Amino acid sequence: MQELDSLFKPKNIAVIGASRNKEKVGNVITRNLISTFRGKIFPVNNKAESVEGLTAYKSIKDIKDDVDLAIVSVPREASIEVMEEAGEKGVKASIVITAGFREVGGDGVKLEEELKRVASKYSIRFLGPNTMGLVSPSYNGTFAFADMRRGNIALIVQSGGIGAYMLDWAHKSGTGISYLVTMGNQADVKEYEVIQYLSEDPETRAIFAYVEGISDGEKFLDTMPESASKKPIIFIKGGITDRGAKAAMSHTGSLAGSFEVFKAAVKSTGGILIEDFRDFLNLTKLVESSEPLKSDVLVITNSGGHGVLTSDAIERSGLRMISLPPRIEDDLRKILPPTSSIRNPLDLTGDAGKDRYSEALKLVSDLDCTKVVIAESLPFLSTVEVAKAVLPFKGKGIVGVFMGGDEDYSARIMDSADIPCFSFPEDAIKAIKYLTSREPPRKKIRISQPMESALEIVKGKDFLKDYESMKIMEIYGIRTPKWSVVEDEDSAEKEANRIGYPLVMKISADTPVHKTEMKGVYMNVEKDQVKQVFQALTKITKRVMLQEQLNGLELFVGGIKDPVFGHTVVVGSGGIYVEVMKNVSYGICPVDEDEVLNMLKESKVYDILNARKRGYDVGSVIRTVVAVSRMMVDLDIKELDINPLIVNERGAFAVDTRLILK
């Protein structure tokens, strides 16, 4: 990380392409540096004697002092020569503002590769190209606004436009910024490196990242857990739809990848994934404060209706409403009118004043939970007075929700004390959910240890026949129903008698196919039907598979090799509607038992398995998914479907499988 110090903490800076024209990028950057940077600034302009009152140089090599950082804003055709000169000068870091590289395709791709080659030759670490620049506590090296409040929120963005918007948003909302890093094409410095660097920064309390694609999934999985263990790292993702993904390709040249896999990667490494900029703004209120927040919530309000709506939001989000201890209920009855509701939500009634809020907070302040304090402005109650009443309880897990004509003034009072404050309870609850539901960071260690018998089956193959896939399942300890593959009527009748009736008969193709769609599956086959069904199926394929017919719940267990994050497992409801229902959950391989349990809960499979107390074997499903996770890595599988995985009280059985290797 020390090699990035020259980028984030330079002692002096050269602006190559500094302009005297105030409408040019090079001039805006120079003026921003003059107003923010205390070190030496060297404008480089081969046609001017000076820029903004500073002596200009025709080349960076003409500067007599050492240069830590070079900010490059020149036409792309000149960028390679400029990088070469910077290397000869001994520059160790650069920000390449210039656009027109990989993001435009064609010659731009070749130019970017040449830029990387020259930078590598001189060991120059560079940000960009196609970047708006960087803001640190010591300088503003962007062509955006210079005026911003210094604070403890770091922003990492893969879009200069989004970066400019965030600076404007931060300015309007009074949010303090420690760093803004616009990544551009990430030809050299990657987003995971910046996250890692800023996670060590004492001036940064939380990191917010807008990403359109991850540069290196393996590096991300390797570095994120340690970074996320130090401070909250919050992501918002662009390019989550097909149309959005195409836009991302043309915008930064990054691979958007699968959003669901990205979500699994963020979750498993301890990050937080949010939906939109409203969530972004709301979460900053929590992370800027020092309030200890819990997923257990107590609601204190002067409006029964707001209490009900907040309770609904809490239940929908998966947070928990605490029950008041009997001793506190008794004490509350002494200070509250008979019309008050002594439960959670705690309704102080519409005539509550600041004293009633203060007395109630004294009694509940030591409870180990988040206290959501709601106040509706009324003719005889100012939310400003309630805000003042809340201040003595700072540090007790307080979140304010103030509504009415004076809510802006109340929010300022709360902000001045670093106590989070919202205008709507739903926003508060959603933000609390995001911050308190982070999973512990897990490091994904992928060690391939395939079994020889499995390697023999997959060796040299692009995909497996269905019976070969069934053998792989059994090698990895995944249960299958009794089964057999036959090619003549006599064998079919013999194997059917061995397996037992009723049974399932289906086609057994040489290539992976959806058998139901080909009308290649017969259920409830009895002894006198075996010959007739065999003849019907052999009109489609030469082989026929016979299986023990099982009853139970149909699940889907699968795996893919994601182009960004690698091997990933999937679990959800199975059968012919899996692609329609899409109630699936993803996990980055390898997954352990706790991760699979969370996947089952997220996909609602856990609730379905336990519905009506049928005694279905949940543990066998968990073991199956863990085994599939190992299999994916061991055999470097590209795609795997077990559909259905039939689960009953006896266990989980892989009934139909598709396995693609290349």
Side-chain angles (χ1 to χ4, degrees), residues 7 94-96 125-129 131 133-134 181-183 189 194:
L7 179 65
S94 177
I95 300 173
V96 182
R125 298 305 312 272
F126 71 95
L127 187 67
T131 173
L134 183 154
V181 187
T182 62
M183 299 302 303
V189 175
V194 177

Side-chain angles (χ1 to χ4, degrees), residues 230-241:
K230 294 171 182 173
K231 57 194 62 173
I233 303 174
I234 300 103
F235 294 88
I236 182 170
K237 175 93 164 59
I240 67 174
T241 62

